[in-house]
Amino acid sequence: MVTADVDGGRAALVPDPDRPFAWTLFVDGAPQSHVDLADPTHLDFSYQRRLGHVVDLAAPPGRPLRVLHLGGGAFTLARYTAATRPRSLQQAVEHDPALVALVRRVLPLDPGVRLRVRSADARAALAKVADGWADLVIVDVFSAGRTPAHLTTTEFLAQVRRVTAPDGRYAANLADGPPLAHLRGQVATAATVFPELALVADPAVLRGRRFGNAVLLGSARPLPVAELTRRAATDPCPGRVVHGTALTDFTGGARPVHDAQARPSPTPPPSVFA
């Protein structure tokens, strides 16, 4: 295990006992990323698998992408994108330079990965990205297990939409538990910016039976819902895709979130990381 002091806490990279070249990144006891240096296409966490499906379906197989990662962690999805779509141009924004230094030291990136890493606030860095630059924007930002309030609003998503190409996509890793007020609000917020939406999660999370992750996908163009549904259903931990009228019903009249009333996502219960 390798540890380091990071912004407001402690990070640890722990070897995976089942995979000789794999590590899990923990920040203050919460698992943040899993990386297999021998096989960057291996995605261990369920939500990362679902984001991997989004990468796979963002364009025809093998075509390079321009990807903006808000939230770096151990750069798991950047490594995956580089392995499955060589020559992709990627940018990653990670707030904590100490965390970036730890990951670079213990889990160095392959020289072929075309990734620019910036240590900055995600929303501040987003404002500096050129209009229409990204084929895909992945938002996976957590601090003490919670998504910061300023990354949950219509104003933030308007900036995401600005940097997304006309046929590009937005994907966010969200976390919530019963009564799912945060998740419903995030769907309503995304609907003000992206006319096409889909939500992927464990059925138990969608039913409000437990705390967990959900991936929200948005676009100005129709989404590959049928193929995403098939892939999610065949994952080791099967996921369910909600879209269209069913997603509108799931939202249940929740209102979009604006900067003035934004709050961080809920605090995960201790049992989640036990």
Side-chain angles (χ1 to χ4, degrees):
M1 180 170 66
V2 182
T3 63
D5 291 320
V6 296
D7 187 18
R10 189 78 172 165
L13 279 165
V14 180
D16 185 334
D18 299 320
R19 302 181 72 89
F21 299 100
W23 299 72
T24 301
L25 171 66
F26 293 83
V27 178
D28 285 341
Q32 296 288 319
S33 304
H34 182 277
V35 170
D36 189 334
L37 294 177
D39 181 10
T41 67
H42 175 77
L43 301 175
D44 195 69
F45 295 170
S46 293
Y47 86 85
Q48 290 183 332
R49 283 179 177 270
R50 288 159 191 157
L51 288 171
H53 298 328
V54 173
V55 173
D56 292 343
L57 298 174
R63 197 189 86 182
L65 295 175
R66 292 178 181 265
V67 185
L68 174 63
H69 304 264
L70 298 181
F75 310 123
T76 305
L77 267 298
R79 299 171 198 264
Y80 178 87
T81 302
T84 58
R85 296 180 176 277
R87 303 183 309 283
S88 291
L89 296 177
Q90 302 186 77
Q91 299 183 47
V93 180
E94 172 55 55
H95 181 264
D96 189 352
L99 180 59
V100 173
L102 173 67
V103 170
R104 283 189 178 278
R105 177 165 56 89
V106 182
L107 306 175
L109 289 161
D110 186 281
V113 177
R114 301 171 72 180
L115 175 66
R116 177 188 179 191
V117 180
R118 286 183 285 175
S119 297
D121 172 79
R123 186 159 164 179
L126 179 64
K128 299 178 181 179
V129 178
D131 292 4
W133 182 84
D135 298 308
L136 177 61
V137 178
I138 298 177
V139 182
D140 186 10
V141 182
F142 288 85
S143 177
R146 308 174 75 184
T147 301
H150 68 302
L151 305 183
T152 68
T153 69
T154 57
E155 292 88 349
F156 167 69
L157 283 182
Q159 285 294 308
V160 171
R161 180 68 188 93
R162 178 187 62 77
V163 307
T164 304
D167 59 350
R169 292 170 187 166
Y170 148 79
N173 176 32
L174 307 173
D176 198 9
L180 299 179
H182 173 72
L183 187 55
R184 299 182 205 277
Q186 288 304 286
V187 176
T189 302
T192 66
V193 178
F194 294 103
E196 300 289 335
L197 296 174
L199 187 66
V200 193
D202 185 307
V205 173
L206 293 172
R207 295 188 187 107
R209 293 181 179 174
R210 68 173 181 82
F211 194 99
N213 295 83
V215 170
L216 178 60
L217 182 61
S219 180
R221 306 281 172 83
L223 295 166
V225 172
E227 180 60 18
L228 182 62
T229 299
R230 186 192 70 79
R231 291 181 180 226
T234 57
D235 279 341
C237 294
R240 182 159 67 91
V241 177
V242 185
H243 66 101
T245 302
L247 186 56
T248 301
D249 293 342
F250 172 84
T251 306
R255 294 181 176 275
V257 178
H258 302 286
D259 281 346
Q261 74 268 23
R263 299 289 183 274
S265 64
T267 302
S271 60
V272 170
F273 305 128

